Amino acid sequence: MRFHPESPDVDPAALSRLRFVAAFKKELYQLSAGNTAAYRADIATLFVPESAGNEREALREQMERQPYFRGWSSLMRSAQDLMWHHTGRAVQDSAERLATRFRSMSNQAKGAITLNPALEAPGYLVDVDVHRMPGGYAADTDDYDLYAGALYDLGGAVYQLGMSSGAGGLLNDARGRTLIAHLAERFPGFAPARILDMGCNVGHNTVPLAAAFPQAETVGIDIGAALLRYAHLRAEGLGVPVHFIQADAERTGFEDASFDLVVSQIVLHETTPQAAANIIRESRRLLRRGGVAVHLEIPFQASEGDTFQQFMWLWEQYYNAEPNIAGVVDGDLSGMAVAAGLEDVRIGYQDIPGADGASGFHARPRSAGSLSQWLIVSGRAS
Ligand SMILES: C[S@@+](CC[C@H](N)C(=O)[O-])C[C@H]1O[C@@H](n2cnc3c(N)ncnc32)[C@H](O)[C@@H]1O
């Protein structure tokens, strides 16, 4: 089976292994309630941080001694490794076919791909394999390497299989659909002629944007060449024209005022606070007058959770190779957008549209870390 026309093949044996991983992950999400119970029973009443400001780190020390949390965290890591192991096997089995498809499609493509082998990936993307995905985002071995893209795509699909809320289905497109709902609500009638998706990865959430604005030229940029080759193949298979370009979102090299809509979707929390500010500033630089910038992020803001909630929101930072999540959880995205020169800036939570398309934008504070919403900061260039 394939979950879109150009996905890796998943035969029945592989599917059952992937379904097991998805079910295992889902069970673990549900068992996370046990961490709250353990915290309340063993730690909450006794917990006194040594000094103001170190609450999260002090709690981390306590939690790391707590048996339920240790066992649960260890299983979470095992489930993640199992996911990459089984997706990796399936992708290896399809690697030759994907490379052949990529070689043969270039002439008839509706979209395009432009790679820049001289581009240096920023340290925050190469110093760790983000999400512990083997090889990371920037891995690239030859001109027909699509491995990182296929691996991320299949891993994302497994992730979605195991999620009950906030899921984007096997196309993993909930963020793009949420962003489109946000545009319709905040900027009704907005019709961009040129769109840029910064940190597009395999285009999961670039494709829905391009499809929603078919009159526009849509460009997706990322640092990973193997991600972009796969993104190009995938978008062509889905029949949606996108131009994928290998570029750094902090300094894209595009001309000033050359886009009407510039977005990033769950990119900033995988960078550093300085890089996030640079990316938001770059989005403003690229906007034409009247253009819109939207930065969509994980729905966790430190100011809206107690120390225990914050600690759990940062689980992926501590134990799953996402070292910069706190930059967004503690950061001031709205302040960065204003400092970048965006106007009419608003920050809040946008509901992931349901089956009926209903969605709403809620000013903060509103989310308690709910995975049925995304955090969004948006503004205009005047
Ligand atoms: C979690 S993925 C998000 C993918 C996509 N935006 C989505 O929502 O489906 C983050 C992506 O951002 C990319 N990225 C991070 N920093 C970047 C930078 N400075 N320039 C280009 N891409 C970047 C990574 O390579 C990765 O593919």
Side-chain angles (χ1 to χ4, degrees), residues 217-238:
E217 179 202 355
T218 300
V219 175
I221 60 168
D222 205 289
I223 47 87
L227 299 177
L228 294 170
R229 288 188 199 99
Y230 183 82
H232 182 42
L233 181 63
R234 181 182 180 279
E236 293 299 308
L238 293 168

Side-chain angles (χ1 to χ4, degrees), residues 56-57 60 64 69 77 307 310-323 325-326:
R56 236 161 36 202
E57 279 308 312
R60 180 179 174 187
E64 287 183 354
F69 177 75
R77 284 178 65 96
T307 307
Q310 292 176 30
F311 168 74
M312 291 305 292
W313 292 340
L314 291 175
W315 188 91
E316 309 265 344
Q317 164 155 330
Y318 300 137
Y319 312 111
N320 199 33
E322 291 214 55
I325 295 183

Side-chain angles (χ1 to χ4, degrees), residues 122 124-125 131 137 152 172 175 197-205 221-224 227 247-250 264-267 269-271 279:
Y124 50 82
L125 293 183
H131 310 129
Y137 290 131
Y152 185 89
N172 200 353
R175 291 175 288 287
D197 184 16
M198 304 169 118
C200 64
N201 197 282
V202 300
H204 287 137
N205 295 288
I221 60 168
D222 205 289
I223 47 87
L227 299 177
D248 184 340
E250 290 186 64
S264 76
Q265 306 178 71
I266 59 166
V267 172
H269 76 276
E270 292 185 356
T271 70
I279 291 171

